[in-house]
Amino acid sequence: MRAIIIDDEPDAVELLSIRLNQKCPQVEIVATCISSIKGVAAIIEHRPDVVFLDIEMPQMNGFQVLEAVEAIPFALIFVTAYGKFALKAFRYSALDYLLKPIDSNELMQAIHKIEKQKQTSKEQVSHLKSQFSNTTKTFPDKIALPYQNGVAFVNLSEIVYCESDDNYTKFYISEGQFYLVTKSLKEVQELLEERGFLRVHRQFLINLNHIKKFVKGEGAYVIMTNGVSIPVSRLNKDRLAEYFGWL
């Protein structure tokens, strides 16, 4: 796997290079650039498999670097020092990122993921860029769901519920289809629970706007708008009642 590192901080470039050499022998660094302009030239010349890219750089930021490249026939990993909002923005776009200073385990996980998903789509980058340009710091109404054949952009309002499948999550959509995504339900919960979703069971996260009926009692459950019954744990019966203000 041939890699290029583009970051205006020489120390960050050096540290990432060391981590890759130590922990990811399958990655060959073909170019390192502390100039974003030289980074564009390096991408065109070397045609890498993966690009490690900082966002905030002088002359051209990371988005402008990608705009200067006609296509993105490579996997993309952002390297960033951004805070909480930005990290969620990456997740909404299903894009990989590494926090500075680079953690070796997180680096190996990122490389493992891109070995499965070979390249990044321009739609994912556009989705991320729109969030960074959003001065109100509100999250989008769409989420990117990478699946076996590509990336689907789905309105949050169309997601009926999510179901845990070991380290994967199934997203069930109102139109009837589902997407299997390589995220744990806990990761999905952290992203969506503040957007009208609630973890009602260890295996299920539901869209509260898609509840059709709530059946109380010892074996409580909800019936969703698509007709599926979802069990509600004893602990989460009270959370449901609190959310809707039920007596």
Side-chain angles (χ1 to χ4, degrees), residues 62-165:
F63 295 120
Q64 291 169 324
V65 167
L66 295 172
E67 287 168 0
V69 180
E70 287 189 7
I72 310 179
F74 48 80
L76 184 61
I77 298 177
F78 286 100
V79 182
T80 179
Y82 276 103
K84 183 179 178 181
F85 171 82
L87 301 188
K88 284 201 171 183
F90 287 117
R91 293 174 189 168
Y92 269 96
S93 302
L95 287 166
D96 285 313
Y97 64 89
L98 293 169
L99 280 176
K100 296 178 181 179
I102 302 300
D103 177 83
S104 296
N105 289 330
E106 292 177 358
L107 173 61
M108 289 188 289
Q109 289 173 12
I111 293 296
H112 179 67
K113 280 194 287 186
I114 64 171
E115 285 176 330
K116 295 181 178 179
Q117 184 184 346
K118 294 295 185 182
Q119 64 185 62
T120 301
S121 74
K122 282 218 169 188
E123 289 81 5
Q124 286 173 276
V125 176
S126 297
H127 195 247
L128 178 67
K129 183 181 177 182
S130 68
Q131 294 173 70
F132 271 83
S133 61
N134 177 5
T135 56
T136 61
K137 301 300 183 187
T138 54
F139 291 110
D141 293 325
K142 282 190 175 183
I143 186 170
L145 301 179
Y147 65 105
Q148 187 175 8
N149 296 322
V151 179
F153 290 86
V154 175
N155 289 318
L156 297 182
S157 61
E158 296 175 356
I159 301 171
V160 181
Y161 67 94
C162 305
E163 181 181 7
S164 173
D165 188 357

Side-chain angles (χ1 to χ4, degrees), residues 237-247:
K237 282 196 296 184
D238 294 336
R239 294 183 69 193
L240 265 179
E242 181 182 351
Y243 183 88
F244 285 106
W246 291 332
L247 297 176

Side-chain angles (χ1 to χ4, degrees), residues 51-66:
V51 172
F52 294 88
L53 181 64
D54 191 12
I55 291 181
E56 286 298 328
M57 295 182 289
Q59 297 180 301
M60 302 171 71
N61 64 32
F63 295 120
Q64 291 169 324
V65 167
L66 295 172

Side-chain angles (χ1 to χ4, degrees), residues 190-208:
E190 291 172 355
L191 197 60
L192 296 183
E193 199 157 48
E194 61 189 55
R195 303 297 305 277
F197 288 73
L198 182 67
R199 183 88 172 257
V200 294
H201 186 273
R202 61 180 177 80
Q203 197 169 349
F204 295 99
L205 177 78
I206 66 170
N207 186 337
L208 294 167

